[in-house]
Amino acid sequence: AACRCSFRRRRRKRMALVCGCYERCVIGLEVCGASDDVEEVQNLRRSFSYAASMGPVKCVACADGYVACGGYDDCIYLFDLKRKKDLGALVEHQGAITCLEFFPSRGKASHLLSGAKDGIINVWEAGRNWEHLKSLKGHKKEISAIAMHPSGKLCMSTAKDGFLRLWDMGRGRCTFKHRLTGEGDILKMLPQGNQYALGGRQTVSVHRADDPESQPVLFHHIKDVLALDAVSDNVLLSGGEGGLVHLLDIKSGTIPMRFQAHTARLRAVCSIDEHLVEFSGFLLPRRFATASTDGSIRLWDSRMLPSNDAVVGTPVSEFRAGARITCMEFSKELSDLSSDTPLESLREPKLPLPQKRSVDKPDSAASSGRKKKSTF
């Protein structure tokens, strides 16, 4: 009997860092080298670039192969990285877009949340029609940050009015508000959803999610904090003015390690690997990335970080974007692309006119103006 064997090309994991720039573009960097071998060459290389916005890009969010970005022109621009397609723009806000978040952030996204200078949080259906589902109103000033609970039932937000609000996403209404004693420019929900972190000025504070008024764990920095990443329920990474990266130990309330990552202002820090490795008794992501306003994006291996405090670190790879980085997010969904179909640079894509509520042809429910009772 004849035996027929078929061989299929093995798909190579492809991950990307998506950066927003002051020069109104979005740049994607492919993260190469995914094995556990310390000696393997790891590098960053440009995968794509989009002329994304009519003004500086202020925030970016990635999930399920989609990229959403917003800035000072009041529009949310959408791109499909898998199909290399410009999806158009969402128009609902009456002010600059200040924050964006997909839910869930990893895997297939079902919703997109957007906050803006008009003090409103809009909820969109992610994928297909991108229908506008709900507007969450309550804040009196510009929305600073949004953080979804892992369950998807709750959402937290902070604004320039000095309040933190807790939203019931099933009912689409605010159930609790708390006046902040400090800054809340950055808001991160920790992985288990039992705690959340606030950052701003020279302070990072960690609070219990079930009791925001309880005594927080405080971390004081010498300079302003501009970036924060929740590695685990016990460890945070922070950065900001001066280019330092700090490791924050939530259990002890101490900063056991810091190192010089950039010479200029650090705008973003984000984990790349979900796999954690041990460093000086702490579990850190095997790799993480940082971005600075001088246009440098650096890739770090936690197993090769400096053991001494406040010394200059040596990255495993660096990329010079030639633009001023304002924000950065990690996209994992590029792993579905085969190695022989690289993402090409779309330098001057044709941006369509912003479409109200939907970037595709609206369905009957959207065209009739009816809104869903439940947000999620």
Side-chain angles (χ1 to χ4, degrees), residues 136-174:
L136 306 179
K137 300 180 180 180
H139 286 293
K140 304 301 181 183
K141 293 184 179 180
E142 173 185 335
I143 304 297
S144 299
I146 302 171
M148 281 293 301
H149 191 272
S151 66
K153 298 179 180 179
L154 301 172
C155 172
M156 282 186 170
S157 62
T158 58
K160 298 298 184 183
D161 59 7
F163 280 94
L164 178 144
R165 286 180 178 265
L166 180 66
W167 305 88
D168 184 332
M169 300 308 293
R171 298 180 179 181
R173 64 180 64 174
C174 178

Side-chain angles (χ1 to χ4, degrees), residues 120-139:
I120 298 174
I121 299 172
N122 283 319
V123 184
W124 311 83
E125 178 188 7
R128 302 190 65 181
N129 292 331
W130 296 91
E131 180 186 356
H132 176 252
L133 303 176
K134 186 74 175 179
S135 291
L136 306 179
K137 300 180 180 180
H139 286 293

